[in-house]
């Protein structure tokens, strides 16, 4: 699948916004700690991925009722669903000038991912920081994708090729409107329309 930048200008994939708030002190604290241990872009990106995947439980897996959507809140409260964890990873990458895009799969409901573009790399590569569990083995790879879930076209599932600079409005709207995680689970988007449509 060919990944398509929603915004041609690569600098859009370095920007901070309300959800990917990489200038927030909590985000900067984690960035500084990881950057102190991992100085080159590849090692840092791999460490940031592992940090989000492994130290921030997916709220469904953990049974946590809280809903987070800002990267800083995900890092502070140490919980989030796939979208929120993707916002956190994008923030950690962008804070170190590594372009990061938000992207999605449709697996009955929309599932959030991050695409990263490392210096000297062959282009964008999608990563899935949702968190592993039995039967789920997402890994940071640049030679090929190793996501949490493989789409099943026969079941109506699909990879969405657009790389967004900001969270898709349907995703952000669902997160912001949710009273708690059980409410969010009932209101997760099941499809993506073009942003702004």
């Amino acid at each position: 699948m060919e990944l398509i930048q929603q915004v041609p200008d690569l600098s859009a994939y370095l920007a901070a916004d309300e959800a990917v708030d990489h200038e927030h002190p909590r985000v900067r604290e984690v960035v500084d700690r990881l950057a102190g241990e991992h100085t080159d872009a590849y090692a840092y990106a791999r460490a940031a991925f592992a940090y989000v995947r492994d130290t921030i439980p997916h709220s469904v897996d953990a049974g946590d009722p809280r809903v987070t959507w800002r990267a800083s809140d995900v890092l502070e409260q140490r919980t989030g669903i796939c979208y929120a964890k993707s916002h956190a990873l994008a923030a950690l990458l962008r804070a170190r000038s590594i372009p990061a895009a938000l992207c999605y799969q449709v697996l009955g409901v929309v599932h959030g991912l991050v695409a990263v573009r490392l210096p000297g790399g062959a282009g964008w590569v999608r990563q899935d920081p949702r968190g592993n569990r039995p039967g789920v083995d997402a890994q940071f790879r640049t030679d090929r994708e190793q996501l949490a879930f493989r789409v099943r076209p026969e079941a109506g599932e699909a990879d969405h090729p657009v790389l967004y600079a900001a969270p898709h409005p349907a995703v952000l709207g669902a997160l912001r409107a949710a009273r708690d995680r059980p409410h969010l689970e009932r209101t997760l988007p099941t499809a993506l329309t073009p942003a702004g449509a």
Side-chain angles (χ1 to χ4, degrees), residues 40-86:
D40 72 82
Y42 177 85
Y44 175 85
R46 184 180 180 101
F49 170 84
Y51 182 86
V52 174
R53 182 194 62 191
D54 298 342
T55 71
I56 300 168
H58 189 286
S59 56
V60 173
D61 294 349
D64 193 323
R66 295 174 294 168
V67 175
T68 54
W69 57 272
R70 284 186 187 93
S72 57
D73 292 338
V74 174
L75 297 173
E76 179 70 35
Q77 297 179 36
R78 304 185 65 77
T79 190
I81 67 164
C82 60
Y83 312 138
K85 291 183 68 163
S86 293

Coordinates of all heavy atoms in Angstrom, one line a residue, residues 40-86:
D40 N 21.1 8.8 18.6 CA 20.8 8.9 17.1 C 19.3 8.7 16.9 O 18.5 8.2 17.8 CB 21.6 7.9 16.3 CG 21.2 6.5 16.5 OD1 20.2 6.1 15.8 OD2 21.8 5.8 17.3
A41 N 18.8 9.2 15.8 CA 17.3 9.2 15.5 C 16.7 7.9 15.5 O 15.6 7.7 16.1 CB 17.1 9.9 14.1
Y42 N 17.4 6.9 14.9 CA 16.8 5.5 14.9 C 16.6 4.9 16.3 O 15.6 4.5 16.7 CB 17.6 4.6 14.1 CG 17.1 3.2 14.1 CD1 16.1 2.8 13.2 CD2 17.5 2.2 15.0 CE1 15.5 1.5 13.2 CE2 17.0 0.9 15.0 CZ 16.0 0.6 14.1 OH 15.5 -0.7 14.2
A43 N 17.7 5.0 17.1 CA 17.7 4.5 18.5 C 16.7 5.2 19.3 O 15.9 4.6 20.1 CB 19.1 4.6 19.1
Y44 N 16.6 6.6 19.1 CA 15.6 7.3 19.9 C 14.2 6.9 19.5 O 13.3 6.7 20.4 CB 15.8 8.8 19.7 CG 14.7 9.6 20.4 CD1 14.8 9.9 21.7 CD2 13.5 10.0 19.7 CE1 13.8 10.6 22.3 CE2 12.5 10.6 20.3 CZ 12.6 11.0 21.6 OH 11.6 11.6 22.3
A45 N 13.9 6.8 18.2 CA 12.5 6.5 17.7 C 12.1 5.1 18.2 O 11.0 4.9 18.7 CB 12.5 6.5 16.2
R46 N 13.1 4.2 18.2 CA 12.8 2.8 18.7 C 12.5 2.8 20.2 O 11.6 2.2 20.7 CB 14.0 1.9 18.4 CG 13.8 0.5 18.8 CD 15.1 -0.3 18.4 NE 14.9 -1.7 18.7 CZ 14.6 -2.7 17.9 NH1 14.5 -2.4 16.6 NH2 14.5 -3.9 18.3
A47 N 13.3 3.6 21.0 CA 13.1 3.7 22.4 C 11.7 4.4 22.7 O 11.0 4.0 23.7 CB 14.2 4.5 23.1
A48 N 11.4 5.4 22.0 CA 10.1 6.1 22.2 C 8.9 5.2 21.9 O 8.0 5.1 22.7 CB 10.0 7.4 21.3
F49 N 9.1 4.4 20.9 CA 8.0 3.4 20.5 C 7.9 2.4 21.7 O 6.8 2.1 22.2 CB 8.4 2.7 19.2 CG 7.5 1.5 19.0 CD1 6.3 1.6 18.3 CD2 7.9 0.2 19.3 CE1 5.5 0.5 18.1 CE2 7.1 -0.9 19.1 CZ 5.9 -0.7 18.4
A50 N 9.0 1.9 22.1 CA 8.9 0.9 23.2 C 8.4 1.5 24.5 O 7.6 0.8 25.2 CB 10.3 0.3 23.5
Y51 N 8.7 2.7 24.8 CA 8.2 3.4 26.0 C 6.7 3.5 25.9 O 6.0 3.1 26.9 CB 8.9 4.8 26.1 CG 8.4 5.5 27.3 CD1 9.1 5.4 28.5 CD2 7.3 6.4 27.3 CE1 8.7 6.0 29.7 CE2 6.9 7.1 28.4 CZ 7.6 6.9 29.6 OH 7.2 7.5 30.8
V52 N 6.2 4.0 24.8 CA 4.7 4.1 24.7 C 4.0 2.7 24.7 O 3.0 2.5 25.4 CB 4.3 4.9 23.5 CG1 2.8 5.0 23.3 CG2 4.8 6.4 23.6
R53 N 4.6 1.8 23.9 CA 4.0 0.5 23.8 C 4.0 -0.3 25.2 O 3.0 -0.9 25.5 CB 4.7 -0.4 22.8 CG 4.1 -1.7 22.6 CD 5.0 -2.7 21.8 NE 6.2 -2.9 22.5 CZ 7.3 -3.5 22.0 NH1 7.3 -3.9 20.8 NH2 8.4 -3.6 22.8
D54 N 5.1 -0.2 25.9 CA 5.3 -1.1 27.0 C 5.1 -0.5 28.4 O 4.8 -1.2 29.3 CB 6.8 -1.6 27.0 CG 7.1 -2.4 25.7 OD1 6.1 -2.9 25.1 OD2 8.3 -2.6 25.4
T55 N 5.2 0.8 28.5 CA 5.0 1.4 29.9 C 3.7 2.1 30.1 O 3.4 2.5 31.2 CB 6.2 2.4 30.2 OG1 6.0 3.6 29.4 CG2 7.5 1.7 30.0
I56 N 2.9 2.3 29.0 CA 1.6 2.9 29.1 C 0.6 1.9 28.7 O 0.4 1.6 27.5 CB 1.5 4.2 28.2 CG1 2.5 5.2 28.6 CG2 0.1 4.7 28.3 CD1 2.7 6.3 27.7
P57 N -0.1 1.3 29.7 CA -1.1 0.2 29.3 C -2.2 0.7 28.4 O -2.7 1.8 28.6 CB -1.6 -0.2 30.7 CG -0.6 0.2 31.7 CD 0.0 1.5 31.1
H58 N -2.6 -0.1 27.5 CA -3.8 0.2 26.7 C -5.0 0.1 27.7 O -5.1 -0.9 28.4 CB -4.0 -0.8 25.6 CG -5.0 -0.5 24.6 ND1 -6.4 -0.7 24.9 CD2 -5.0 -0.1 23.3 CE1 -7.1 -0.3 23.8 NE2 -6.2 0.1 22.9
S59 N -5.8 1.1 27.7 CA -6.8 1.2 28.8 C -7.9 0.0 28.7 O -8.4 -0.4 29.7 CB -7.5 2.5 28.7 OG -8.1 2.8 27.5
V60 N -8.1 -0.5 27.5 CA -9.0 -1.6 27.4 C -8.4 -2.9 28.0 O -9.0 -3.6 28.8 CB -9.5 -1.9 26.0 CG1 -10.3 -3.2 25.8 CG2 -10.3 -0.7 25.4
D61 N -7.1 -3.1 27.7 CA -6.4 -4.3 28.2 C -6.3 -4.2 29.7 O -6.4 -5.2 30.4 CB -5.0 -4.4 27.7 CG -5.0 -4.7 26.2 OD1 -6.0 -5.0 25.6 OD2 -3.9 -4.6 25.6
A62 N -6.1 -3.0 30.3 CA -6.0 -2.8 31.7 C -7.3 -2.6 32.5 O -7.3 -2.6 33.7 CB -5.1 -1.6 31.9
G63 N -8.4 -2.5 31.7 CA -9.7 -2.2 32.4 C -9.7 -0.9 33.0 O -10.5 -0.6 34.0
D64 N -9.0 0.1 32.5 CA -8.9 1.5 33.1 C -10.1 2.3 32.4 O -10.1 2.4 31.2 CB -7.6 2.1 32.7 CG -7.3 3.4 33.5 OD1 -8.3 4.1 33.7 OD2 -6.1 3.6 33.9
P65 N -10.9 2.9 33.2 CA -12.1 3.6 32.7 C -11.7 5.0 32.2 O -12.5 5.7 31.6 CB -13.0 3.7 33.9 CG -12.1 3.7 35.1 CD -11.0 2.8 34.7
R66 N -10.5 5.5 32.5 CA -10.2 6.9 32.1 C -10.0 7.0 30.6 O -9.5 6.1 29.9 CB -8.9 7.3 32.8 CG -9.1 7.4 34.3 CD -7.8 7.7 35.0 NE -6.9 6.6 34.9 CZ -5.6 6.7 35.2 NH1 -5.0 7.8 35.6 NH2 -4.8 5.6 35.0
V67 N -10.3 8.2 30.0 CA -10.1 8.5 28.6 C -9.1 9.6 28.6 O -9.3 10.7 29.1 CB -11.4 8.9 27.9 CG1 -11.1 9.3 26.5 CG2 -12.4 7.7 27.9
T68 N -8.0 9.4 27.8 CA -7.0 10.4 27.6 C -7.0 10.7 26.1 O -7.3 9.8 25.3 CB -5.6 10.0 28.1 OG1 -5.3 8.7 27.5 CG2 -5.6 9.9 29.6
W69 N -6.6 11.9 25.7 CA -6.4 12.2 24.3 C -5.3 13.1 24.0 O -4.7 13.0 22.9 CB -7.7 12.7 23.7 CG -8.2 14.0 24.3 CD1 -9.1 14.1 25.4 CD2 -8.0 15.3 23.9 NE1 -9.3 15.4 25.7 CE2 -8.7 16.2 24.8 CE3 -7.2 15.9 22.9 CZ2 -8.7 17.6 24.7 CZ3 -7.2 17.3 22.8 CH2 -7.9 18.1 23.7
R70 N -4.8 13.9 24.9 CA -3.6 14.7 24.7 C -2.4 13.8 25.1 O -2.4 13.1 26.0 CB -3.6 15.9 25.7 CG -4.5 17.0 25.3 CD -4.3 18.2 26.2 NE -5.2 19.2 26.0 CZ -6.4 19.4 26.6 NH1 -6.7 18.5 27.6 NH2 -7.2 20.3 26.3
A71 N -1.3 14.0 24.3 CA -0.1 13.3 24.5 C 0.4 13.5 26.0 O 0.7 12.5 26.7 CB 1.0 13.7 23.6
S72 N 0.3 14.7 26.5 CA 0.8 15.0 27.8 C -0.1 14.2 28.9 O 0.5 13.7 29.9 CB 0.8 16.5 28.1 OG -0.5 17.0 27.9
D73 N -1.4 14.1 28.7 CA -2.2 13.4 29.6 C -1.9 11.9 29.5 O -2.0 11.2 30.6 CB -3.7 13.7 29.3 CG -4.1 15.1 29.6 OD1 -3.4 15.8 30.4 OD2 -5.1 15.5 29.0
V74 N -1.7 11.4 28.3 CA -1.4 10.0 28.2 C -0.1 9.6 29.0 O -0.1 8.7 29.8 CB -1.2 9.6 26.7 CG1 -0.7 8.1 26.6 CG2 -2.5 9.8 25.9
L75 N 0.9 10.5 28.9 CA 2.2 10.3 29.6 C 2.0 10.5 31.1 O 2.6 9.8 31.9 CB 3.3 11.2 29.0 CG 3.6 10.9 27.5 CD1 4.6 12.0 27.0 CD2 4.2 9.5 27.3
E76 N 1.2 11.5 31.5 CA 1.0 11.8 32.9 C 0.2 10.7 33.6 O 0.5 10.2 34.7 CB 0.3 13.1 33.1 CG 0.0 13.5 34.5 CD 1.3 13.8 35.3 OE1 2.2 14.4 34.7 OE2 1.3 13.5 36.5
Q77 N -1.0 10.3 33.0 CA -1.9 9.3 33.6 C -1.5 7.9 33.3 O -2.1 7.0 33.9 CB -3.3 9.6 33.1 CG -3.8 11.0 33.6 CD -5.2 11.3 33.1 OE1 -6.1 10.4 33.1 NE2 -5.5 12.6 32.8
R78 N -0.6 7.7 32.3 CA -0.1 6.4 31.9 C -1.3 5.4 31.5 O -1.3 4.3 32.0 CB 0.7 5.8 33.0 CG 1.9 6.7 33.4 CD 2.8 6.2 34.4 NE 3.5 5.0 33.9 CZ 4.6 5.1 33.1 NH1 5.0 6.2 32.6 NH2 5.2 4.0 32.7
T79 N -2.1 5.9 30.6 CA -3.2 5.1 30.1 C -3.7 5.7 28.8 O -3.5 6.9 28.6 CB -4.4 5.0 31.1 OG1 -5.3 4.0 30.6 CG2 -5.1 6.3 31.3
G80 N -4.3 4.9 28.0 CA -4.9 5.4 26.7 C -5.2 4.3 25.8 O -4.7 3.2 25.9
I81 N -6.2 4.5 24.9 CA -6.5 3.6 23.8 C -5.5 3.8 22.7 O -4.7 4.7 22.8 CB -7.9 3.6 23.4 CG1 -8.3 4.9 22.7 CG2 -8.9 3.3 24.6 CD1 -9.6 4.8 21.9
C82 N -5.6 3.1 21.6 CA -4.7 3.2 20.5 C -4.5 4.6 20.0 O -3.4 5.1 19.7 CB -5.1 2.3 19.4 SG -6.7 2.6 18.7
Y83 N -5.6 5.4 19.9 CA -5.5 6.7 19.3 C -4.6 7.6 20.3 O -3.7 8.3 19.8 CB -6.9 7.4 19.3 CG -8.0 6.7 18.6 CD1 -9.2 6.7 19.2 CD2 -7.8 6.0 17.4 CE1 -10.3 6.1 18.6 CE2 -8.8 5.3 16.8 CZ -10.1 5.4 17.4 OH -11.1 4.7 16.8
A84 N -4.9 7.5 21.6 CA -4.2 8.4 22.5 C -2.7 8.0 22.6 O -1.9 8.8 22.7 CB -4.9 8.2 23.9
K85 N -2.5 6.7 22.6 CA -1.1 6.2 22.6 C -0.4 6.7 21.3 O 0.8 7.0 21.4 CB -1.0 4.7 22.8 CG -1.5 4.3 24.2 CD -1.4 2.8 24.4 CE 0.1 2.4 24.4 NZ 0.3 1.1 25.1
S86 N -1.1 6.7 20.2 CA -0.5 7.2 19.0 C -0.1 8.7 19.1 O 0.9 9.1 18.6 CB -1.4 7.0 17.8 OG -1.5 5.6 17.5

